Amino acid sequence: MVEHAVLKGSTSGGGGGLPLVLLHAFPFDGRMWEPQASALGAARSVLVPDLLGFGGTPLPDGPVGLDRQADAVAGYLEREGIGRAAVCGLSMGGYVALALAERHPGRIASLVLADTRATADSEATRANRTATAERLLREGVDWLVEEMLPRLLTARTLRDRPEVTGQVRRLMGAQAPASVAAAALAMRDRPDRTGVLRALECPVLVVVGGEDLMTTPEEARGMVAFCREGRLAVLSATGHLANLDNSDGFNEAVEAFLAGLDRR
Ligand code: MLT
């Protein structure tokens, strides 16, 4: 029997606006959305799940691909009594959001795809994910934290904002190696979902840090071109973790987009 995988999460805010679900990046958990949970909750409920294996959600038995993560998010929304929501995913969270859009399109009222991509990995990246997963199981997560950190935040943030850098380090270092390894393999095996973007009928906001080295503004522009109703927000002087590196800019872009939809 397949174990029923239940996501832990938190809800804040309230009001009549479209509920917003925030899906976290790799290898983080819902706590990375702290600057959004209150700021974006003035007009709507903000739901923040921990994906399978991260934060308060245990890693279930069996393979945990992105499709299973997406099914778990759909189950979470069902249990929270949410029919359709605005779904925002950053990086790996964006991969899960696109899997959700493919597998549970009725759940999606609008999408925010932040610092992410719709294409599959190259062969070289796939091989690197396999090596990463093996090393995580052998050595734990600390080496990955140091390796990823310079690509997650701008050099300015790394130099001048120790509170942000410290939070990013803590959150990454708190994740279980087996879960991080499983997520690396899940990202390795994800298909190209540009067809999902093309088919989407809902409004899409693509947000990207202007200095994102991992998922570049150029890739973001490519995603917008695939959307029927897409718009782009490039946040200047901002790195990959745009919601933490430039919380105000990120919150303003997302709130402006959602407020426009609430008025429709
Ligand atoms: C993330 O930020 O979620 C990941 O680094 C994305 C990726 O490795 O493709």
Side-chain angles (χ1 to χ4, degrees), residues 205-254:
L205 172 67
V206 176
V207 184
V208 68
E211 296 180 23
D212 185 344
L213 303 173
M214 296 183 72
T215 46
T216 61
E218 193 185 343
E219 286 187 84
R221 273 187 275 278
M223 279 201 294
V224 175
F226 283 128
C227 298
R228 293 185 200 183
E229 192 181 340
R231 69 187 77 153
L232 177 67
V234 181
L235 305 179
S236 62
T238 303
H240 182 64
L241 287 179
N243 72 305
L244 289 171
D245 207 354
N246 180 358
S247 305
D248 290 347
F250 187 93
N251 293 346
E252 275 165 32
V254 172

Side-chain angles (χ1 to χ4, degrees), residues 180-201:
V180 181
L185 298 181
M187 293 193 290
R188 177 195 68 185
D189 294 338
R190 74 187 194 283
D192 179 293
R193 285 204 162 95
T194 49
V196 177
L197 264 190
R198 282 184 204 276
L200 273 179
E201 290 178 6

Side-chain angles (χ1 to χ4, degrees), residues 25-26 90-93 95 117 129 148 152 187 214 240:
F26 166 93
L90 191 142
S91 204
M92 180 180 77
Y95 306 157
R117 59 169 67 83
R129 303 258 200 221
M148 286 184 74
L152 296 177
M187 293 193 290
M214 296 183 72
H240 182 64

Side-chain angles (χ1 to χ4, degrees), residues 65-251:
L66 296 179
D67 287 357
R68 190 168 180 197
Q69 293 282 13
D71 293 350
V73 172
Y76 169 75
L77 293 177
E78 183 74 32
R79 280 191 307 282
E80 294 295 317
I82 304 288
R84 275 155 38 95
V87 177
C88 169
L90 191 142
S91 204
M92 180 180 77
Y95 306 157
V96 175
L98 284 172
L100 185 72
E102 182 174 73
R103 296 167 70 79
H104 305 276
R107 293 279 173 198
I108 312 265
S110 64
L111 266 188
V112 179
L113 297 171
D115 302 279
T116 190
R117 59 169 67 83
T119 50
D121 282 349
S122 67
E123 276 311 312
T125 303
R126 285 172 53 84
N128 193 38
R129 303 258 200 221
T130 306
T132 296
E134 288 169 358
R135 187 168 171 197
L136 282 162
L137 294 177
R138 276 197 318 270
E139 298 179 23
V141 294
D142 290 352
W143 67 271
L144 184 69
V145 175
E146 297 314 315
E147 193 175 287
M148 286 184 74
L149 200 55
R151 291 179 291 142
L152 296 177
L153 301 165
T154 61
R156 278 178 310 284
T157 301
L158 290 168
R159 191 187 59 221
D160 298 338
R161 297 170 65 200
E163 70 292 355
V164 176
T165 309
Q167 191 196 7
V168 167
R169 260 213 180 89
R170 267 193 305 283
L171 289 181
M172 293 170 88
Q175 309 307 326
S179 301
V180 181
L185 298 181
M187 293 193 290
R188 177 195 68 185
D189 294 338
R190 74 187 194 283
D192 179 293
R193 285 204 162 95
T194 49
V196 177
L197 264 190
R198 282 184 204 276
L200 273 179
E201 290 178 6
C202 68
V204 179
L205 172 67
V206 176
V207 184
V208 68
E211 296 180 23
D212 185 344
L213 303 173
M214 296 183 72
T215 46
T216 61
E218 193 185 343
E219 286 187 84
R221 273 187 275 278
M223 279 201 294
V224 175
F226 283 128
C227 298
R228 293 185 200 183
E229 192 181 340
R231 69 187 77 153
L232 177 67
V234 181
L235 305 179
S236 62
T238 303
H240 182 64
L241 287 179
N243 72 305
L244 289 171
D245 207 354
N246 180 358
S247 305
D248 290 347
F250 187 93
N251 293 346

